[in-house]
Amino acid sequence: MPKALRNRATTLTTSDKVHLSALVLGSGPNGVLLDHEQGYNICSFIDIGKKLAAEGYHVVIPEYRNHGASQKSADNEHIDRDARAGLAELRRVGAERVFVGGASCGGTTAAVAGADTPLPVTGLLMMSSPARCGGVDAVAAVRKIKAPTLVVASPGDMNGNIEKDAREVYAASVAKNKKLVIDPSGYHGTDMIRRGGASGVKLRSRVVKFVAASFSRPR
């Protein structure tokens, strides 16, 4: 984690008592949860998190169990509990509504956590997210989320399985305002933004604008 942000680090505790490292940026009643992909860490969403915080959003980026500085746990099937801990932190610090998003399994868990949070959900982002990750089922979740939804996948990612899952999730979504984006970069998760060159810059801008637009809708 960059030294300049270390004073924004905190510890979250999940419902099954696993301690997670997390980064909290910005302030205010508009909360944003960003969940990283398996095998990555907080840093994969730092750039977008900083941008959103600078624009007035309260951002929480949890680090999943068995990743980075978070606690090791034999149970890696219930990572939706890690996403829910991030939402609980946003609620604790005063968020009145929340945007939920993530990459790979992080997007899957963001959808599942967003489906039953007491906070109003303004939007959902899923980047390269499998329809199911362990015991976490995004297809069932998006049937409960009516908020604007952006699903992004690259063709050929995991031999085309990610695009297939993205289309399944998109088809199941009950959101009236939903968009499926097939990104040409061929990268997975946040690598579509961080390593995708010009298309990555364009996708990053699209994601930030999508978050902002989700909060501009009438409550």
Side-chain angles (χ1 to χ4, degrees), residues 96-190:
E96 297 174 0
R97 49 187 182 155
V98 66
F99 179 97
V100 295
S104 193
C105 282
T108 311
T109 60
V112 170
D116 61 11
T117 177
L119 292 168
V121 174
T122 66
L124 167 66
L125 167 69
M126 298 179 67
M127 300 175 61
S128 305
S129 298
R132 298 161 193 87
C133 184
V136 183
D137 187 347
V139 173
V142 297
R143 289 177 177 146
K144 301 176 183 178
I145 298 176
K146 297 180 180 180
T149 297
L150 177 61
V151 179
V152 187
S154 283
D157 186 1
M158 295 190 180
N159 296 317
N161 288 323
I162 290 296
E163 181 181 350
K164 179 181 177 182
D165 277 19
R167 292 186 182 279
E168 182 183 359
V169 168
Y170 178 78
S173 170
V174 296
K176 291 183 179 179
N177 180 357
K178 61 181 180 178
K179 183 69 175 179
L180 173 64
V181 174
I182 303 301
D183 180 79
S185 70
Y187 288 113
H188 183 77
T190 51

Side-chain angles (χ1 to χ4, degrees), residues 27 35 116 148 203:
S27 61
D35 294 334
D116 61 11
L203 180 58

